[in-house]
Amino acid sequence: MALHAIDNVRHAMQALSIEQNAETSYNTVSRTENVTTELQGMDSVLDSLRECIGWPVKYRKEGAILGVSWAQGVLVHGPSGVGKSASIQHVAREYDASIHTVTPATLIGQYMGESERNLRQVFEKAEEQACHSQKPQIILIEEADSLFPQRKAGSSQQDARLVAQMLTLMDGSVAKSRRSSDSGHLVVIAVTTHPNSIDGALRRPGRLDREIMIGIPDEDARCKILAELIRRMNIVQGFDVRRIGQRCHGYTGADLKSLCTTAIIYSLKQKGSSKEVTEDDFEAAMHDVGASVARSVTDTFSPASWDDVGGLDHVKELLQQYCVWPITRSDDFVRLGIKFPKGVLLHGPPGCAKTTLARAAVTSSGVTFIPLVGTKLYSMYVGDGEAELRRAFTRARLSSPSILFIDEIDTLVGSRGHDDDHSVNVSTRLLTTFLTEIDGIDDSSGVLIVGTTNRPFAIDSALLRPGRFDIHIYVPPPDYQGRLQTLEVHTKNVPLASDVSLCDIAEKTELYTGAELQAVCREATIIALRNNMQSASCVSQQDFLNALECVTPSHTAYELQEYAQWPQNM
């Protein structure tokens, strides 16, 4: 047995030597050829595809000597827009391979058995060309998850028949390729964005032998793609590609291409065709073109600044330390051995700007923002909520650095109950899934979970331990200085009479939250309009005093003390 293992190692070393030194008459495009723009930074992916597409023909003799079993099927998966099909086509051009494309539109027929016949015809044509040609033959199956979904109870007969036909054809093509040693190589490449939706029988060895995952481009890859794209644009001198690339967290190659197009449009709108595209044009374009991987779960994100929230300087400082610094000063964290926090919980009475503070932290850090709405996770079908929760975490990982924001987190992962009520069981399953996902986040993955709640007592204690929601930040109602700043924010566009004293109003609004102070300002303007419908031009001090009689604080000092003492009083 030991001698056999040594022989295997020797053969592997010989194979490596052959791969580096062997000369072949097979004419391929040089690897130094310029790679397609969207494929910049994907060298490892292209090398893996070359091994599956080109090597079985290029190193046919060497592989026969070493007894290599070349991959007959490849599953290429990843988010939309990362270049799955483009990378396959690029490698196919290198080796002059023929591509036989299968899509749902070309395969599915309206009559029973027509889809299976169409699939057989594609395989027959590819196998025939492989027998009469020395070139690789590729059967490229787009949207494989929709063509060959998992067979389970309730699946349509057409899906089951098509999967069974695909299994038969793949087993037959493998047998033919093993019998024929002189023909061209036939490889089946399935492309999908949802690999787990494909029938499991297709993913076993001997069918889709190899799986290649194409992820979101990292910072260096994004900068390479941008540098290639802006070469064709009229760019201003001194354009900082690195800075724009750092800002485009979670962008795919297709997203970056769309970003450049949008930036050109902004430049044309503002300056006309004779001007150059600037970094400001790209900054403006980013508001319209976001990361597509987060687009399906992201509501319209309204940027916010720290100045939108009056006071609460201590809370802002903590959020900058735990939400912004891990992104903007990551090198310092690594140098000092500081562990990145996994979760930050903002708790406090309603109306204290917890959500606005979270949006300000996202805007300040420039990361991808993925809000998770708890109501969307409750479904009439068992398991749908847990699957959607897992997808949200997957998108957060793919588009890292990112912030997964959960407003009113107590409604999603509240304390586990002991009743048999259906809603309690659903909440328990969601909580279990959430705990599993947050434990699976690596400390350096760049994913931060930010939750807000005004019912911290209702959150399950398992979620609050270190390693999950590490940081608990209490967001109290603003103090006097904070109330004054909040009043200034909400009266910025309100014409005030000369007798208005915001300092006096701030003194009279102790225990008021930021939302209640906003309501006071709004009510004062309504009162001013009501008193003088025809010629109201400003809001007076008396209008504010009358508004204070209509809008009163909703929390007592005792209730606020209870909030402030959590979790010590759990």
Side-chain angles (χ1 to χ4, degrees), residues 194-325:
H194 305 289
N196 294 328
S197 298
I198 296 178
D199 192 87
L202 276 171
R203 300 181 68 179
R204 73 161 177 79
R207 289 168 182 163
L208 296 179
D209 308 82
R210 187 83 174 266
E211 295 195 6
I212 300 175
M213 194 274 181
I214 303 180
I216 302 293
D218 58 16
E219 181 181 318
D220 289 337
R222 292 197 303 269
C223 292
K224 290 179 181 179
I225 295 172
L226 277 174
E228 187 67 24
L229 287 170
I230 65 174
R231 284 174 55 191
R232 312 167 191 173
M233 300 167 56
N234 187 22
I235 292 293
V236 68
Q237 289 290 333
F239 185 88
D240 191 350
V241 177
R242 174 66 59 177
R243 190 179 75 85
I244 298 298
Q246 290 173 342
R247 293 286 310 279
C248 297
H249 302 295
Y251 281 58
T252 64
D255 295 334
L256 293 172
K257 192 172 184 179
S258 178
L259 177 68
C260 291
T261 302
T262 307
I264 294 173
I265 293 174
Y266 268 101
S267 178
L268 292 175
K269 286 180 180 178
Q270 300 295 328
K271 294 163 282 190
S273 59
S274 61
K275 297 298 182 180
E276 300 168 320
V277 181
T278 65
E279 294 181 31
D280 292 337
D281 296 323
F282 273 84
E283 295 281 356
M286 286 182 193
H287 294 295
D288 291 341
V289 181
S292 58
V293 70
R295 206 168 292 162
S296 58
V297 294
T298 304
D299 299 330
T300 302
F301 172 62
S302 301
S305 69
W306 300 112
D307 295 334
D308 293 337
V309 180
L312 301 178
D313 293 335
H314 177 63
V315 174
K316 295 176 183 177
E317 182 180 352
L318 290 176
L319 282 174
Q320 287 179 330
Q321 293 176 6
Y322 296 119
C323 297
V324 180
W325 285 6

Side-chain angles (χ1 to χ4, degrees), residues 60 72 120 122-131 168-186:
R60 183 193 307 277
Q72 303 297 321
R120 286 195 300 270
V122 172
F123 270 79
E124 289 170 359
K125 181 179 178 181
E127 288 171 353
E128 182 180 359
Q129 292 189 10
C131 291
T168 303
L169 290 172
M170 288 209 67
D171 292 341
S173 66
V174 171
K176 289 181 181 179
S177 66
R178 287 175 178 172
R179 290 196 300 266
S180 176
S181 59
D182 296 328
S183 61
H185 181 68
L186 173 62

Side-chain angles (χ1 to χ4, degrees), residues 388-422:
E388 183 61 33
L389 184 60
R390 286 191 293 269
R391 283 193 290 269
F393 272 87
T394 300
R395 291 187 179 98
R397 293 187 185 96
L398 289 173
S399 57
S400 65
S402 60
I403 290 180
L404 181 59
F405 175 66
I406 309 174
D407 202 8
E408 304 297 342
I409 192 174
D410 54 279
T411 63
L412 176 61
V413 286
S415 296
R416 285 169 278 199
H418 302 285
D419 300 331
D420 294 331
D421 184 75
H422 173 70

Side-chain angles (χ1 to χ4, degrees), residues 42-50 76 87 91 212-215:
M42 293 177 57
D43 295 337
S44 61
V45 172
L46 296 176
D47 286 340
S48 297
L49 288 172
R50 290 184 182 108
V76 180
S87 59
V91 175
I212 300 175
M213 194 274 181
I214 303 180

